[in-house]
Amino acid sequence: MNDTNHRGTGPGDGSADIRVARAALTRLMEPSDLAGLALIAVAGPVDALAFIRSGAASSAVLEQEMTEVMAEAGTGRWPGLADALGRWRPRLADLAPERDLGLLERYGGGLLIPEDPQWPASLADLQLTAPIALWMRGRMLHLPGQQRCIALVGSRDGTSYGVNLTAEIASSLVQRGYTVVSGGAYGIDASAHRGALAAARQDPAYWGAAPPAGAAPLPGAGGTAQPPTVAVMAGGLDRFYPSGNEDLLRTITEQGCIIAEVPPGTNPTRYRFLQRNRLIAALCEMTVVVEARWRSGALNTAHHAEQLSRSVGAVPGSVYSANSAGCHRLLREGAAVCVTDAADIAELAGAAGANLAPERDAAPAVHDGLGVEDLLLLDALPLRSATTVDKLTVVAGLGTATVLAGLGRLELLGLAERLNNGWKRNR
């Protein structure tokens, strides 16, 4: 079945009961609620929701199984199931999953759940902290594979250097067939989304239209229906946040998609911002920090990527710029690889030996290929006036025979010139 038939219920073919249950659980539980995720892993989403609604004080069997699941994920002691129920049940009064699904349907969205075939396989790397579901709104209600997604993140107060470079890198990555993923915030995030959208806009073939005569379509575009950019949000998708980026986020929904693990009506909080960073890292083959202050939230995304064994890149900036201090910190600690353009990023994101960045051409220096004695002799030759062989032996510290042989070689290379009164350097 196609995406259109599933708007409002979801992009895949997971059962309706499971979809409604997961929609409800995203409202009851905060992102990365380990107790809640353990309950879902043990009981399944439908029975987990039913148990929370049942009013039961606790369950020794469920609690034991949840403890085992959490122990496997590296979580030690926890307050217990009764404590968790005390956190979830106050939210039951506001529970209306069908309403939430219907609201997203009116916005042209839906709910992607792990039971759907389109669920991103890369999210399995988050193990127990994988999201309960993903609320989606946009032109396409599916996400490209991990290998085709690159995260570009950075400070909200980006400099002109960072903003311009980010847009340039994002545009070039889309031209290479990648989807640019970011967080929809001000500064570097916004520039990444704008650069990606601009690249898709400039090629009529991106959405499958015939390109102009003589024009080549973008790689990975056209029939693949791959969004140029995806914004991962920290709040509900029924409103655009931050409000200053409303026009940008609306454009993203028209040409790509925005996603969140929290339901409509949820306010973005600092905790939810930090938690959404793990999704950005997990969805992408590589995370690139373009500009970041010493304690920027973008470093949190980079650390999530490192923990997930994803590639991490950092763009260097001026040593005088506080906006690049975080990038330099990542590079100094060995947590990131230095990248300067889309070619560097594509090389690191691709399979070994693929997408190799071309070697930069540089004009050869006049002394390239010379031996030590010839270099000493070349340095001893004056540029403007001629000098004798005897003086060259003193200045260069070489014997007469060595100087004569070297002058012959340098003359053949066009580096030395014989005059009536001696020798001089040609260039």
Side-chain angles (χ1 to χ4, degrees), residues 9 41 176 184 197 216-217 275 295 297 320 336 338 361 372 381 390 400:
T9 55
R176 292 169 181 266
L197 292 169
Q275 288 303 312
R295 293 178 61 82
Y320 298 107
C338 179
D361 295 328
V372 175
L381 283 168
D390 290 341
T400 302

Side-chain angles (χ1 to χ4, degrees), residues 52-78:
I52 296 171
R53 281 173 158 166
S54 69
S58 187
S59 165
V61 175
L62 272 180
E63 184 164 334
Q64 176 60 35
E65 292 179 349
M66 290 168 63
T67 301
E68 293 173 1
V69 169
M70 294 171 71
E72 290 176 4
T75 302
R77 295 174 61 85
W78 64 295

Side-chain angles (χ1 to χ4, degrees), residues 33 54 77 135 139 168 281 347 382 420:
D33 184 333
S54 69
R77 295 174 61 85
W135 295 89
R139 178 166 182 161
E168 181 181 315
E347 180 177 340
N420 292 332

Side-chain angles (χ1 to χ4, degrees), residues 369-415:
L370 295 181
V372 175
E373 293 175 344
D374 289 353
L375 282 172
L376 291 170
L377 186 55
L378 183 65
D379 287 341
L381 283 168
L383 275 169
R384 293 183 177 84
S385 59
T387 188
T388 64
V389 172
D390 290 341
K391 288 183 179 179
L392 286 172
T393 60
V394 175
V395 175
L398 301 171
T400 302
T402 303
V403 169
L404 289 171
L407 288 170
R409 289 191 295 270
L410 293 177
E411 185 179 25
L412 288 173
L413 293 171
L415 299 177

Side-chain angles (χ1 to χ4, degrees), residues 127-207:
Q127 299 179 350
L128 187 58
T129 62
I132 296 171
L134 289 176
W135 295 89
M136 307 185 71
R137 175 180 174 183
R139 178 166 182 161
M140 288 169 293
L141 301 187
H142 68 272
L143 299 169
Q146 171 190 330
Q147 295 79 9
R148 305 312 303 168
C149 291
I150 303 291
L152 295 182
V153 296
S155 297
R156 287 174 171 79
D157 59 340
T159 65
S160 58
Y161 159 78
V163 167
N164 292 333
L165 183 59
T166 301
E168 181 181 315
I169 290 175
S171 178
S172 184
L173 285 173
V174 171
Q175 291 170 1
R176 292 169 181 266
Y178 290 98
T179 289
V180 173
V181 179
S182 199
Y186 295 127
I188 299 303
D189 286 15
S191 185
H193 294 306
R194 289 191 179 100
L197 292 169
R201 249 189 332 263
Q202 289 166 5
D203 187 353
Y206 196 92
W207 297 112

Side-chain angles (χ1 to χ4, degrees), residues 292-349:
R293 291 180 175 269
W294 186 259
R295 293 178 61 82
S296 169
L299 302 187
N300 177 258
T301 308
H303 292 146
H304 278 299
E306 185 181 18
Q307 291 167 3
L308 293 169
S309 299
R310 305 286 198 267
S311 297
V312 179
V315 177
S318 168
V319 296
Y320 298 107
S321 174
N323 284 63
S324 290
C327 295
H328 298 157
R329 177 183 178 183
L330 289 172
L331 294 170
R332 187 179 69 251
E333 294 173 351
V337 177
C338 179
V339 294
T340 58
D341 57 21
D344 291 345
I345 296 168
E347 180 177 340
L348 288 169

